């Protein structure tokens, strides 16, 4: 879980390399570094810390050269130290490499290389590659040949970029099961883990496939197969992402910025062509069995999908956590697996897709990042077009995915029943959602900040809801946990009396996701649970829509909304509560500890 970049240009690259890794810090941010070819040799600067810190301390942007590579790390092999930060050099300093992934046979290679006299400076798996290149190089053999031979010795997963003094005008990069994308600007070429890295410079991209390598120079690039050496040609993608979307603007954190972008993100989800939604709906109706998969936030999105498909379309489509899908999902050729992912790179979700394909099942995916692995591996893809989500904590992407799932359920209901009166109403309600999100942001954020100030010192929280509100409660608990480090448990409100009420006391807040009164059954049941908590002197905070007459210790009154979109306004309230509490606690909001955005390892 790291971000790699390589740039070759006709002008100095270090300042762009630094900006590019900063834009990929969501992939890891415990250490970073760059290496350039400055005419005299390889110039390397690296250390522990965020890109901003290291850039300042080590002068990353002052490295000279028109060609270079850079890396931002989230430690897997070897602790967080300067030595383990990338790039890594060969003993003679003629090769520098950066890597994302895991070289599974690194131990065998290391023993071999140690026996040949190589000295290792780090505990990383990556360093073996630098030494392997040195070991294989002999004068007269092209660096490209050496690169391919060394690649063929690697097992595991990699996105790798390399520079060498022996071929000082070219970058060599390769991909095997870790993302790698080329960015094509005029006389400047990028190789990066994610399009985010080069979006300010170019929107033209080319995705490398597994088993391919590329060579970049200021004059152009070529892509070939690692095993067959055959030239590969591929269409250039035009990335249709709003440039400003990856800048923080006036917001103190990306998390707040992305929460506030949700009206726009909902519009974009509404603009996804109906024919794409209808194609997925038809596929689902043709399949004998459907499953939704996601993990972390996207598992809760999938769970929301399960509820919405059951209530709107009368279809039972179980949601599975991607990491368990292989075990739980009875997947056969009559199954359609629908994956949900912001990054399109999450290991567990990709594994679920691979498992489904191996079983002969069909696959589909709802994905945010264009050109990501999932967009190429899933049979049918819906691009949600939410723009770059930079904060490690997912917010706006989940909102858009839920909107798309409502559209999907509506379409399935329509296909099953012919033109039923509900569909127009539902789409009208959705069209009204951005306005309500704006109103909530305007009227409730300050109030939620007050709640955060009052309750941020509570160590344990419950988040409770029923029906479609339950997955929203679960997701809100996850938001709270990951950004505040407080313990928060999401639970169906009905579950409470089956043991967990014992935890309620006057120090424990329970956040209730109260449905609008018109959902009378759910509303009454939720209010019963409120009373159960109050009877045990628990602190009750309600996200609700109506005057209830009940006493709450804290209340977030959301604008009147229909039951269909009410959960999405509560999703927003949950995001804001987590955000404001984290700010009060002084947490590193955009980069909370032990989290990386794209979890690309098992
Ligand atoms: C939560 C969060 C993670 C991701 C999960 C799946 O805020 O960011 O739980 O939701 O790792 O990631 P994607 O959606 O990229 O597959």
């Amino acid at each position: 879980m790291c971000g790699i970049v390589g740039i070759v240009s006709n002008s100095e690259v270090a300042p762009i390399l630094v900006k590019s890794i900063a834009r990929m810090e969501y992939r890891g941010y415990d250490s970073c570094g760059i290496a350039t070819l400055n005419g005299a040799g390889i110039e390397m600067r690296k250390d522990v810390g965020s890109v901003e810190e290291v850039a300042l301390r080590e002068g990353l942007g002052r490295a000279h050269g028109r060609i270079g590579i850079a890396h931002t790390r989230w430690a897997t092999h070897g602790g967080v130290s300067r030595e383990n930060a990338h790039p890594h050099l060969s003993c003679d300093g003629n090769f520098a490499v950066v890597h994302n992934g895991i070289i599974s046979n690194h131990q065998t290679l290391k023993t071999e290389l140690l026996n040949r006299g190589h000295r290792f400076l780090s505990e990383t798996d990556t360093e073996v590659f630098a030494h392997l290149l040195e070991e294989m190089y002999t004068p007269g053999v092209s660096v490209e040949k050496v690169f391919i031979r060394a690649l063929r010795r690697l097992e595991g997963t990699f996105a790798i970029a390399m520079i060498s003094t022996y071929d000082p005008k070219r970058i060599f990069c390769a991909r095997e099961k870790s993302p790698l994308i080329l960015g094509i600007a005029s006389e400047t070429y990028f190789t990066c883990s994610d399009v985010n890295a080069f979006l300010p410079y170019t929107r033209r991209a080319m995705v490398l496939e597994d088993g391919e390598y590329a060579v970049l120079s200021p004059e152009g690039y070529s892509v070939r197969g690692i095993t067959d050496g055959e030239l590969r040609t591929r269409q250039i993608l035009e990335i249709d992402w709003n440039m400003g979307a990856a800048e923080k603007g006036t917001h103190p954190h990306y998390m707040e910025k992305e929460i506030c972008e949700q009206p726009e993100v909902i519009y974009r989800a509404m603009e996804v062509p109906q024919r794409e939604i209808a194609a997925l709906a038809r596929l689902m109706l043709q399949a004998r069995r459907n499953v939704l998969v996601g993990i972390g936030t996207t598992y809760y999105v999938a769970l929301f999908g399960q509820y919405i498909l059951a209530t709107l379309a009368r279809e039972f489509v179980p949601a599975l956590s991607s990491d368990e899908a292989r075990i739980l999902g009875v997947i056969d050729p009559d199954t359609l697996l629908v994956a949900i992912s912001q990054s399109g790179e999450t290991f567990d979700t990709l594994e679920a897709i691979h498992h489904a394909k191996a079983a002969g099942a069909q696959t589909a995916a709802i994905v945010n990042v264009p050109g990501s692995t999932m967009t190429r591996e899933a049979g049918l893809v819906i691009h949600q077009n939410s723009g770059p989500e930079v904060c490690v904590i997912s917010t706006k992407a989940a909102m858009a995915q839920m909107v798309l799932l409502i559209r999907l359920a509506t379409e399935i209901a329509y296909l099953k029943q012919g033109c039923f009166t509900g569909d127009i109403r539902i789409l009208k309600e959705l069209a009204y959602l951005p306005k309500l999100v704006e109103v909530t942001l305007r009227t409730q954020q300050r109030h939620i900040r007050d709640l955060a100030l009052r309750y941020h010192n509570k160590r344990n929280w419950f988040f409770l809801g029923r029906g479609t509100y339950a997955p929203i409660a679960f997701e809100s608990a996850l938001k709270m946990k990951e950004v505040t480090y407080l313990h928060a448990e999401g639970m169906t409100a009905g579950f409470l009396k089956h043991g967990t009420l014992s935890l309620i006391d006057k120090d424990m807040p329970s956040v209730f996701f109260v449905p609008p009164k018109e959902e009378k059954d759910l509303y009454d049941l939720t209010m019963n649970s409120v009373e159960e908590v109050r009877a045990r002197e628990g602190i009750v905070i309600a996200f609700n829509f109506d005057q209830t007459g009940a006493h709450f210790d804290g209340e977030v009154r959301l604008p009147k909304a229909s039951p269909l979109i009410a959960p999405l306004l509560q999703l927003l309230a949950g995001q804001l509560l987590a955000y404001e509490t984290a700010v009060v606690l002084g947490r590193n909001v955009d980069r909370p500890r032990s989290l990386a955005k794209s979890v690309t390892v098992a």
Side-chain angles (χ1 to χ4, degrees), residues 6 24 31 56 77 93 114-115 157 210 212 237 239 294 335 352 378 386 400 417 433 473 496 501 523 543 560:
M24 287 199 300
S31 50
L56 212 64
H77 282 64
L114 281 170
N115 290 338
T157 61
D210 286 342
E212 289 181 346
L237 283 176
I239 307 288
T335 305
S386 308
Q417 302 169 12
L433 180 61
L496 197 60
L501 260 178
Y523 174 84
F543 291 173
K560 204 98 190 87

Side-chain angles (χ1 to χ4, degrees), residues 295-298 341-343 346 392-394 478-479 482 597:
I295 192 156
T297 289
T298 46
S341 176
Q342 189 287 129
S343 63
T346 301
V392 171
I393 309 287
S394 184
L478 176 63
K479 290 285 88 84
E482 53 188 0
K597 194 161 188 65

Side-chain angles (χ1 to χ4, degrees), residues 294-299 322 340-347 349 366 369 374 389 391-395 397 401 475 478-479 482 595-599:
I295 192 156
T297 289
T298 46
Y299 168 62
S322 310
I340 303 167
S341 176
Q342 189 287 129
S343 63
E345 300 291 350
T346 301
F347 177 86
T349 307
I366 299 174
V369 178
M374 239 171 263
E389 197 181 58
C391 175
V392 171
I393 309 287
S394 184
T395 52
Q401 287 157 351
E475 163 59 6
L478 176 63
K479 290 285 88 84
E482 53 188 0
L595 259 188
K597 194 161 188 65
S598 300
V599 183

Side-chain angles (χ1 to χ4, degrees), residues 274-275 277-282 284-285 308-315 405-427:
Q274 188 60 23
R275 68 180 133 63
I277 308 282
L280 179 54
R282 274 196 300 275
M284 288 180 81
L285 285 174
I308 218 80
L309 283 159
T311 50
L312 282 185
R314 298 263 147 247
E315 285 289 317
L405 287 166
I406 294 175
R407 289 186 61 193
L408 178 66
T410 310
E411 182 65 19
I412 291 179
Y414 169 77
L415 290 175
K416 278 171 74 170
Q417 302 169 12
C419 190
F420 87 118
T421 50
D423 54 348
I424 308 281
R425 175 184 58 82
I426 288 167
L427 295 179

Side-chain angles (χ1 to χ4, degrees), residues 487-505:
H487 173 239
E489 199 170 337
M491 200 181 292
T492 54
F495 206 94
L496 197 60
K497 56 183 169 303
H498 297 276
T500 37
L501 260 178
S502 58
L503 294 172
I504 301 288
D505 61 19

